[in-house]
Every structure is written in C-alpha cells, then in structure tokens.
Amino acid sequence: MNIIWYHPSMSAEVWLEGMRERLPGVSVRHWQPGDNGPADYALVRKPPNEMLAGRHDLRGVFALGAGVDEIMAQLRDNPDLLPDSVPVFRLEDTGMAIQMQEYAVCQVLNWFRRFDDYRQLQQESRWLELPEYRRETFTVGILGAGVLGQSVAQSLKPWGFPLRSWSRSKKQIDGVTSFAGQESLSDFLQGTQVLINLLPSTPQTVNIINASLLAQLPHGAFFLNLARGAHVVEDDLLAALESGQIKGAALDVFQVEPLALDHPFWRHPRVTVTPHNAAVTLPGESMDYYAHAITLLEAGEMPAGQVDRQRGY
C-alpha cells in the first residue's frame, strides 16, 4: 500500500513517521513535483493539481483539516481531476471539537458577563457597575449543526442559555431548538442574541452573513465566526458594528488571511481578532483517524467523514 502526503506549510517528517508507526509496512512519502509513483491514498492540504491528476486508482483522499472547501473548489474548477468514484474524507473531530468548545464558551461568557464593556470602562478609568444581561433571554444561535456545531451547543448547555441551531436539514439535538431550510432562517435569527457561525464553506454559503442577515438579529447582538471568512461580507459587518446593530464580534477567520495590517478589524474597539487558531489540527489524533479510516477502507468498509461532493461537505 502506498500513501502520499502533502501540506504547503507543515513539516512532513512528523506525519510520515507517525503514519508509518500506525500502519507498519505501508509506504508513506512526501509528495514532490514530478512524483508520479503509485498511490492508494492521499493526505492533502491545498494539493497542486499535478499531485492528483491522472490518479484514477486512488481509494481515498483525506483532507488535512476539518474544512474541505479548498479541495472542493479545486474539484469544481477541474472536474476531471478526481473521478466521482474516489471518496474524499474530512476530519470530523480529532480534538478540534474541544478547542471549539473552549473558544465559544469563553467568548459567550465574556459577552454575557459584560467583560468587553468593563474593559472599555477600565481604559477610561471609570468605576461603573453595569446592568446584567438576563440569562433566559441571552439566546445563542448556531449556524451549522454538524459535528462541531452540535459539540459547541452541548458545551453551552450547562450555562443555561436558550440554544437554537440552523442547518440545511433538521437536526435532533437534546436541549436545542432546531431550525432547518432557507424558509426558517428569519425565524432562527429573530431573538438570537449571540450568533455563532459554524457553517460549512460551499458556494451557497459564501457571503451569507451580510447586511440583510445581520439586520434580522436583535439590535445589539453579538457575532462569533469560527467557520470561514468567505461567509462574511466584511464591510457589512463593519457597518453593523458602527451602527450598534452588532455590539461585538469575535473573528477567527477572514476573507483574506493573514489579515492585512491596515484592516479596520485590528483597531475596532468592538472586535476581537485571533489568527485562525480556534481549532488547530492535532497530528496525533488526526493520524489515529487516518490510520483507522484506511484500515476500514482496506477491509471494504466506509469510515466516518465522507464528503458529499454534490453538497460540498
């Protein structure tokens, strides 16, 4: 069995050695330009087209991360690059869920306890006790109810906030009010005090968070983006922040990364910026998944995480 690996920035050695330990006797190599050798499986992030072109015998392609938008975009632009018969897999958790939970809980509590407001008062040297938010009306709405969305919802349950989710199809999540389909999006937004974005990145979700959507939230709502920068019309978000429609935003992802030095998000008093690290790929946990998935495929079974190439996630 032969596995090829490619990532534009990660060190290859940790991954090659780790996969060899987990799959003894298997050939695992760092793909380089000009490598047309045999390959049964590919582990990739932003692979050059040359890496996959003509490899019609691949038994599986695995994304080195939770998002598959980059490779799906490649396949849309190059329909003949990879036959439909070759399954593509995403990482469904492998340690990312707990990281997303930490980020979301920390930020929601930061807003609920008004630490953002107290930070500004501190800068003004003002001793002022602010009215508290009411827990029963501090509704948290999660856009996207996949593995990570459901995990974040579960992590917020112990804090007693009303929880709701919106997704393409209706989900049954204990303690969470589920909305599904475009026709229910307005109902989902009305009353959502904190909007958390965990949508998959597809052509249908690009720029979904725009002036029209933000205007349907209660005045003074909060926005947390843990998914992709492509979901957000940044000028619309800035306008909503300036008007007070959105009281605060925590952004981990952006239309262009790294965020330009002159971007107004850096200096906006109501915006928190982090460098796309809300949940990072953990090599150990990820390699455990890849090794297990490949073992299942070799046994004729289908592992979790297969991407629906029509939907894009």
Side-chain angles (χ1 to χ4, degrees), residues 51-178:
M51 180 181 181
L52 300 179
R55 296 188 181 276
H56 295 171
D57 294 333
L58 280 173
R59 301 177 205 164
V61 174
F62 294 87
L64 289 167
V68 293
D69 45 308
E70 293 163 341
I71 192 168
M72 289 297 102
Q74 280 182 274
L75 296 179
R76 285 193 298 271
D77 294 340
N78 304 274
D80 298 327
L81 186 61
L82 203 63
D84 290 341
S85 58
V86 178
V88 178
F89 298 90
R90 65 181 176 274
L91 285 176
E92 288 208 319
D93 185 350
T94 61
M96 291 186 182
I98 186 65
Q99 297 176 72
M100 288 291 190
Q101 290 177 3
E102 292 164 350
Y103 197 119
V105 170
C106 179
Q107 193 57 58
V108 170
L109 292 178
N110 175 67
W111 287 324
F112 177 65
R113 291 300 307 269
R114 305 197 67 170
F115 293 148
D116 56 331
D117 293 316
Y118 285 119
R119 193 172 301 113
Q120 289 204 342
L121 290 173
Q122 177 184 346
Q123 292 171 355
E124 300 167 10
S125 302
R126 294 175 60 197
W127 184 281
L128 178 65
E129 186 173 353
L130 299 171
E132 297 180 354
Y133 289 117
R134 293 169 53 211
R135 189 181 304 273
E136 61 270 23
T137 60
F138 204 77
T139 300
V140 180
I142 301 170
L143 278 172
V147 171
L148 294 178
Q150 293 188 41
S151 175
V152 166
Q154 294 300 327
S155 71
L156 288 166
K157 281 177 61 178
W159 301 99
F161 304 117
L163 300 173
R164 57 178 62 172
S165 69
W166 181 86
S167 54
R168 180 176 177 271
S169 56
K170 199 171 184 67
K171 299 292 195 299
Q172 297 296 325
I173 310 171
D174 184 46
V176 180
T177 302
S178 176

